[in-house]
Structures are given as structure tokens and as C-alpha cells.
Amino acid sequence: MSTGQHPAPRRNARPYSVDEGTIRTRSANPDAADYTLYVRGLINDYLGVGGQAKVLEHARNRGLYYPGLNRQKLSEQLSRYRLGPTWEMTELIIACLPDSCDTAGIRALAAGWYQCARGQLPDGYKGPVSRPPGKPGQRNVPESEPAIPVLQRQLARLQERLRAEAERHVSNLRASENARNHAVRQANQLEVQFHEVREELLRVRSIAAEVATIREEYARQCVALEHVAAPGLRTTPIIDLPELPAARRRIRFGLLVATIDTQAPPARRALARYLCVYAEFAGISPAELATRADIATTVTMDILAGRHVPTAAHAARLATVLTCEPDTLRHLISAASSSTALDEDFWSIARCLDPPPSPDSAPGAGGVVGSDPDNPVTRPLPDPTTAPPNPIADRLRQLTDVYQQGLISDGEYDEQRTRILGEL
């Protein structure tokens, strides 16, 4: 006889399961099979895997356990009873379900399945009976229809769900309303800012228009001065005003006007002065003006000096760069182009026919006011025998002044000087 330890018998670890077909084969009728499957479905739906073991555990914890209750007995009633589990076992299973379940509705429906399977209500059961899905109500059994408490609970659940849906929709509507109000406030702020910026833009445009008007009026006054004043005396001021300090001198007037040729016709001098005024307002040199207007530097300097009349294409580019009035420039170019030698003879004769001052008609020293260049008392006319000024020398002197002021480069200075000397 061997004294060694015998190995423990091996058990089948695979859980035993019964399918729906087996249950319907073992049941006495289809209603009994449906009743059994309904009770089994309660365990599977609410307790999950290992539901029968959890039924026994909950029965012990809740004081529902009784002697003889075990896993085998529970499994037999759920798989081998031909008319389905007994009502006591069904009541025990329902009582072991989670607390969140509607046990009253489940019990009423289980009673309806029990009645369909066995043809009668459970012994001693006085509660409501619900009609199983797809089954007609039992004759002469009022409780077989859906019970009033069940309908009340269903209505309460529907009301709760409806209330939750209504609260959710109200919250969404409030959020949308808040977003819309916020967007409206932002739109109002942007509209206020738009009107403020628009007012500022209109004010700036008004100021710009005023400045443009002042520039145009100043240029027109300069044109009128060129037509009225004597060419040799037009640079002498009527009243000696103090020079502005450097901090207040935003625009340096007179630098380009001084380069206008005194021997040029009056209409061309007027055109040149109009362009020089706008060039001084813009603060650009002749070389920069030539570059920006895409015109040769020598041609640009001749135009600003009154020795050359710009073409229509040159005039359009000059008007764009200098932002002057195109109509005024067009009229000045037309007048400068139509001037003839007769105009020059008229102005030469006008300069020579100024009457000499008479000692008897000369006013006293107390009558002199200012330093009017046309006043023969303060500035007598030169001797008629004085030699006329040399235009070549004047042009060389003007070219030297422009070069010393840095308005032209070395190459331009050499080119202009060679061109002037070539006219000798």
C-alpha cells in the first residue's frame, strides 16, 4: 500500500452554461421558457458575469438567506424547471438586485410572466401585475394590465427626463443670449470707435484740404507777383522781416526760386516759380525730383529755371510727384508755350522807360516807409549808360550757388557748367 499523497482530482474550470435553445427544449410551453429567460435576464443585466454567485452573496448580506439555498438549487430552478422558477426564488432574485432598480415594476412584470407560464397568479401575491410585451391581458384579471403605480412611475421618469431636457435647452438659450448680447456690445463699441475714427479722418482730410488750398493760393500769388513785379527787382522784399529761427523753419523757401533765369520770358518764369514753390513745399532737390519724375536732370533744371517748357507727359509726372493742381499747371504751360518774342520786347521796353527821379518831386526823408523796391527815393534807378548784365555770368553764378547749397552733385555741376560755357 502506497503511503504517498494522492493528487487532487482535476475539476473542469470551464463554467457550465445553458443556452436559450436548451431552456426552450426543457420548458413545458413557450411562455414558461420566456418566464425563465426573463428571470435569467434580470441576473445577467443587473449583476453581470457571475450573477448567480452575487445573488447568494447579496442574500447573505441582506438577511434573505435560508437553509438549503445554494448555487446548485439556484441553477436548477433557472434551467431545469419545466414551468420556470418558483415565485419564492423569483422574489429572492428580485430582492437581491441593486437598489437603483425599479423593483416594483420588475416584480409586477415577473408576476405577469409567471401567470402566463403557469396559468394563475402566485399564491398569496396581491400586488400589481403587468402585461408582458406582446401578450394580451388576462381575462377576468384586472391586474394583468399595466398597474397604476407602474404608469405613475413611468410618468415620473418621463417628467424628470423632460425637465432635464428643458433645463438643458434653457441653459443653451441663455448661453446663446449672453453670447449675442456680448457680440452686440462689441459691435456697439466698434461702431463708436468707427465714428470716432471717421470724425478724426474727416478732420484730417479737412486740414489736408486747407493746406492744399494754402499751397495753391501761395503758388498763384507767386505767379501774380512774377507778372507784376519787375524781373530785376522781384527778389527784393518790400519789408525787411527778421529771418525765422532754424527750429521754426519747416520749409526753406527761396532756394529754388533764386535759380530762375532772369532773362527767361515772364510766362516761363511764372511756370518755373509755380513748380519751384511746390518743390520747396515737398522739400526735394532738382536731382531727386528728376529721379522721382523719371525726367533727365538737365531737363528738370531747365524747367525749374524757366528755360524749358515741360511736355504733357513731363507735366503729368511733375504734377504727381509735387501734388500740385493739374489744371493750373496746364494753363501755365499753355501760356508759357504761346509766349512770343513780342512779349520779351514789351518787358524790355517797360524796364527802360521808367522815368528818372525828379529832385522837385522826390518826397522828404520823413515820407519814406519801408524799403519798397519800386520806390525811386530809397532805390534809384541805375545809370542808363551802365552795361547790361551778362546772362552767361548770371547763369554761372546761379549754378555755383546751387552747387554750394548741395542741391546738385559734382557730375551735374560739371555737365551744366560745360553746357553754359559751350554757348559762348
Side-chain angles (χ1 to χ4, degrees):
M1 182 176 182
S2 174
T3 59
Q5 185 177 2
H6 294 280
R10 297 181 59 184
R11 300 181 58 185
N12 188 7
R14 186 178 62 179
Y16 176 73
S17 61
V18 181
D19 57 359
E20 181 179 353
T22 304
I23 292 177
R24 292 192 179 277
T25 303
R26 294 176 179 177
S27 300
N29 52 62
D31 292 337
D34 292 337
Y35 169 53
T36 304
L37 292 174
Y38 172 74
V39 178
R40 292 175 63 90
L42 295 177
I43 299 175
N44 295 332
D45 295 341
Y46 292 99
L47 298 179
V49 180
Q52 296 183 11
K54 293 179 181 179
V55 169
L56 299 177
E57 181 181 358
H58 291 173
R60 293 189 184 92
N61 296 334
R62 299 179 181 182
L64 303 176
Y65 184 81
Y66 58 88
L69 179 62
N70 51 34
R71 176 71 177 275
Q72 182 179 1
K73 184 175 182 180
L74 179 61
S75 178
E76 287 180 355
Q77 292 214 21
L78 294 176
S79 59
R80 296 186 178 277
Y81 278 33
R82 292 176 57 80
L83 296 178
T86 61
W87 182 250
E88 290 78 9
M89 182 61 68
T90 302
E91 284 273 15
L92 175 66
I93 293 173
I94 294 175
C96 293
L97 295 179
D99 297 334
S100 60
C101 300
D102 183 14
T103 55
I106 294 173
R107 185 179 291 105
L109 186 56
W113 278 116
Y114 182 91
Q115 185 179 15
C116 291
R118 303 202 177 195
Q120 60 180 4
L121 291 174
D123 294 338
Y125 179 75
K126 302 298 183 182
V129 178
S130 295
R131 179 181 58 187
K135 300 294 182 181
Q138 298 295 326
R139 186 177 299 177
N140 299 327
V141 182
E143 293 84 0
S144 62
E145 298 295 334
I148 293 178
V150 175
L151 296 177
Q152 290 177 347
R153 286 191 293 270
Q154 293 179 357
L155 181 61
R157 287 196 296 270
L158 291 177
Q159 291 177 348
E160 184 67 24
R161 189 172 65 181
L162 181 62
R163 189 182 300 108
E165 291 291 331
E167 290 178 356
R168 184 172 63 84
H169 287 297
V170 169
S171 300
N172 294 337
L173 291 176
R174 288 176 179 174
S176 301
E177 183 68 18
N178 294 335
R180 190 185 70 83
N181 293 336
H182 181 67
V184 169
R185 287 193 296 269
Q186 286 185 342
N188 293 336
Q189 294 176 358
L190 291 177
E191 185 177 3
V192 172
Q193 294 178 1
F194 168 77
H195 287 296
E196 292 176 355
V197 173
R198 183 173 179 273
E199 292 292 336
E200 192 69 19
L201 179 60
L202 293 177
R203 188 177 66 84
V204 171
R205 286 183 176 178
S206 177
I207 295 174
E210 293 174 0
V211 171
T213 303
I214 293 173
R215 288 183 176 182
E216 179 64 18
E217 289 298 327
Y218 176 78
R220 288 172 181 263
Q221 293 296 329
C222 293
V223 172
L225 180 62
E226 282 293 336
H227 283 291
V228 174
L233 303 177
R234 70 177 186 277
T235 58
T236 304
I238 298 177
I239 301 177
D240 295 330
L241 297 176
E243 188 176 358
L244 290 175
R248 295 289 303 277
R249 190 180 304 166
R250 301 296 180 87
I251 303 175
R252 299 183 64 86
F253 294 105
L255 295 180
L256 295 178
V257 175
T259 62
I260 299 177
D261 190 359
T262 57
Q263 303 301 322
R268 293 189 181 183
R269 290 198 304 268
L271 171 62
R273 184 149 190 173
Y274 182 81
L275 295 175
C276 288
V277 167
Y278 269 97
E280 290 174 349
F281 271 120
I284 57 178
S285 64
E288 183 181 356
L289 177 60
T291 302
R292 294 173 60 179
D294 194 15
I295 304 174
T297 305
T298 56
V299 176
T300 303
M301 294 187 65
D302 287 342
I303 293 174
L304 295 180
R307 292 187 295 271
H308 182 72
V309 178
T311 62
H314 291 174
R317 291 198 289 268
L318 289 174
T320 302
V321 175
L322 298 177
T323 64
C324 60
E325 187 65 28
D327 293 337
T328 304
L329 183 60
R330 190 181 308 109
H331 283 80
L332 291 175
I333 292 175
S334 177
S337 301
S338 61
S339 62
T340 61
L342 181 62
D343 299 331
E344 287 301 307
D345 296 338
F346 170 78
W347 284 102
S348 300
I349 295 171
R351 287 195 296 269
C352 297
L353 291 180
D354 288 338
S358 175
D360 298 334
S361 61
V368 178
V369 179
S371 60
D372 190 352
D374 296 330
N375 193 339
V377 176
T378 59
R379 193 179 181 89
L381 295 175
D383 190 359
T385 60
T386 304
N390 189 356
I392 301 297
D394 292 342
R395 290 170 63 184
L396 289 174
R397 190 179 304 108
Q398 293 174 2
L399 181 63
T400 304
D401 294 339
V402 173
Y403 174 71
Q404 291 177 352
Q405 294 171 2
L407 298 179
I408 59 177
S409 62
D410 297 340
E412 294 174 343
Y413 172 73
D414 295 338
E415 181 183 354
Q416 290 290 332
R417 188 172 179 274
T418 304
R419 182 170 175 270
I420 294 174
L421 294 177
E423 299 177 3
L424 293 176

